[in-house]
Amino acid sequence: MGVIERGDRSGEHARKALISLTAQDFGPSEKKWRKWWETAYRRHRIEWLIDGLGHKEDSVREGAINDLRRLTGEYFGYHHDLPKREREIAAERWANWWRDSGHHRFVIREDERHRPTALLPIRRD
């Protein structure tokens, strides 16, 4: 049995850490967490947080929006306690931002991973 499935404090701490990191909550089910991870590990954490804006639990949504604002500096009128329809509209603005420009700001291109940090990229003017 994994640590998250334990009924003790360490299991609850692990679960709370996962909720904070992922903006998801699959309870103490290691099977559900692993199933989510099978597809989510390829995605950026900001995408996880955007998904978390639609979570049924108010506290998960609040954590997701607080992390999104802190990480990105963006604001699209989302509040965790808005009526569901208004939250969905604001969450869609976040998703559009990610698709249209956020992704380019936060995802490191593969060729950048191999460039020494002390060298600037080649200018192409």
Side-chain angles (χ1 to χ4, degrees):
M1 179 182 343
V3 69
I4 198 166
E5 291 179 325
R6 291 187 209 160
D8 61 8
R9 287 179 48 185
S10 63
E12 187 58 26
H13 287 301
R15 181 173 161 248
K16 286 181 180 180
L18 283 170
I19 293 167
S20 179
L21 179 66
T22 66
Q24 300 298 317
D25 185 1
F26 300 104
S29 171
E30 185 174 338
K31 182 179 179 181
K32 290 178 183 177
W33 280 105
R34 286 188 185 276
K35 184 177 179 185
W36 175 82
W37 178 249
E38 288 172 8
T39 57
Y41 82 92
R42 292 180 188 95
R43 301 173 64 219
H44 197 280
R45 180 170 181 243
I46 290 175
E47 293 176 89
W48 301 349
L49 296 172
I50 292 170
D51 288 349
L53 298 177
H55 199 277
K56 66 181 179 179
E57 294 293 326
D58 187 61
S59 61
V60 175
R61 292 192 311 267
E62 183 177 18
I65 193 58
N66 289 342
D67 281 356
L68 279 170
R69 288 182 186 148
R70 182 180 50 79
L71 292 170
T72 68
E74 299 292 341
Y75 175 77
F76 298 106
Y78 183 96
H79 294 279
H80 69 280
D81 55 357
L82 286 171
K84 184 177 182 180
R85 183 67 188 131
E86 291 177 43
R87 286 194 321 261
E88 289 171 347
I89 292 168
E92 186 62 29
R93 287 193 292 266
W94 274 100
N96 290 339
W97 165 81
W98 178 253
R99 185 189 64 242
D100 297 341
S101 63
H103 181 266
H104 301 294
R105 278 180 47 201
F106 290 93
V107 175
I108 298 171
R109 293 189 330 256
E110 189 61 36
D111 62 334
E112 289 291 309
R113 294 178 193 268
H114 303 290
R115 181 174 56 83
T117 56
L119 299 176
L120 294 173
I122 299 170
R123 280 183 76 164
R124 302 186 200 294
D125 323 342

